[in-house]
Amino acid sequence: MYKIETHLHTPVISPCGRLTPEELVLGYKAAGYAAITVTDHYKTAAFRYARIDLDTPGSKLDAFLEGYRQVKAIGDREGIMVYYGAEIQFFENDNDYLLFGFSPELLADAKSVCAMGIAKFSDLARADGALLLQAHPFRKHCVPVAPHLIDGVEAVNRHDCHPNRNDLSIDFARRYGLLMTGGTDCHDPEDIGMGGIDADYLPKDSMELAKLLREGSFKILGNDTNYIL
């Protein structure tokens, strides 16, 4: 089995990230993880923080993935696999969505993506073959989205400073037959190693990670036990 973190943030792009790329990689390596996934925030506040100008022409994806690239460079050195993802927030509300296995073109025009909302983006993500999950759907200020718009939910979020109500997320996913994942939502040193998944195999890249999540070839880590879902 291979421990994989599916949800973490870097201070390169995410204002809430408090661990350097080096600290993230070394911390997860010491905690026995085989891989980590960088899901920096893809929203207006993060772009402003990272000084990514949405009003100038051209793709913003290269700038958005800078945190991932820095973590991956250290991961390559330390023997930890590093995947890329994104945590998207649209202008319409405070919901967050985790995206895995996407092609670069999908997130190139950041201003348009954030303005389009989940309904339109859902169609584009599926056409792209990407995996779209709602993160912590029962956290304060979030509302569970219409199930047909997503592939699954982050059923177990271990960022315990928020009342995530993981029990409700699990019930919601089961009720509508949605995929379920788990992640730490790592921001701080004490978050490292708190969650994620225990996978049957180690994906070779970010696209294969999305495939593994679709297959459900893993157990979800949480507290001192595994949620076997």
Side-chain angles (χ1 to χ4, degrees):
M1 301 293 281
Y2 301 89
K3 290 172 73 173
I4 301 174
E5 177 61 78
T6 64
H7 189 169
L8 65 79
H9 301 288
T10 78
V12 181
I13 301 297
S14 296
C16 57
R18 298 178 185 87
L19 289 161
T20 67
E22 183 101 3
E23 289 169 332
L24 285 165
V25 172
L26 295 181
Y28 273 97
K29 181 178 180 179
Y33 282 66
I36 57 179
T37 311
V38 177
T39 53
D40 272 326
H41 285 291
Y42 188 95
K43 62 181 181 179
T44 302
F47 297 135
R48 187 182 304 117
Y49 163 81
R51 298 183 179 179
I52 299 173
D53 184 1
L54 301 187
D55 294 320
T56 58
S59 173
K60 308 304 175 186
L61 184 66
D62 189 58
F64 169 73
L65 290 176
E66 179 58 27
Y68 156 74
R69 280 195 296 272
Q70 291 188 25
V71 174
K72 188 176 187 307
I74 300 167
D76 289 346
R77 183 193 77 199
E78 297 294 330
I80 296 292
M81 189 73 73
V82 179
Y83 310 116
Y84 67 80
E87 185 173 14
I88 302 173
Q89 186 177 103
F90 303 103
F91 295 156
E92 61 191 7
N93 56 33
D94 290 331
N95 283 354
D96 293 306
Y97 301 92
L98 292 169
L99 188 70
F100 302 96
F102 58 88
S103 61
E105 295 77 14
L106 185 63
L107 296 187
D109 188 345
K111 190 172 185 179
S112 293
V113 168
C114 291
M116 71 176 58
I118 184 59
K120 184 175 180 181
F121 183 79
S122 175
D123 290 338
L124 295 179
R126 285 175 173 155
D128 182 70
L131 184 68
L132 182 63
L133 311 171
Q134 185 172 6
H136 44 69
F138 290 91
R139 182 181 288 183
K140 188 177 180 181
H141 304 306
C142 296
V143 293
V145 72
H148 73 277
L149 295 177
I150 53 176
D151 300 304
V153 299
E154 183 184 49
V156 179
N157 180 292
R158 293 289 287 115
H159 192 44
D160 290 342
C161 71
H162 294 284
N164 291 307
R165 296 306 307 272
N166 291 325
D167 56 331
L168 297 180
S169 298
I170 292 169
D171 288 345
F172 178 74
R174 285 176 170 161
R175 186 180 316 128
Y176 294 104
L178 296 169
L179 299 174
M180 288 186 271
T181 67
T184 297
D185 197 357
C186 180
H187 296 74
D188 301 289
E190 60 269 24
D191 298 334
I192 289 178
M194 292 293 289
I197 62 173
D198 206 2
D200 292 346
Y201 64 91
L202 185 64
K204 67 179 184 298
D205 56 29
S206 301
M207 296 298 182
E208 196 167 281
L209 171 65
K211 177 176 178 288
L212 180 146
L213 295 176
R214 284 188 190 279
E215 293 172 345
S217 302
F218 58 86
K219 297 176 182 178
I220 296 178
L221 302 172
N223 296 321
D224 296 324
T225 187
N226 287 331
Y227 291 90
I228 304 174
L229 303 170

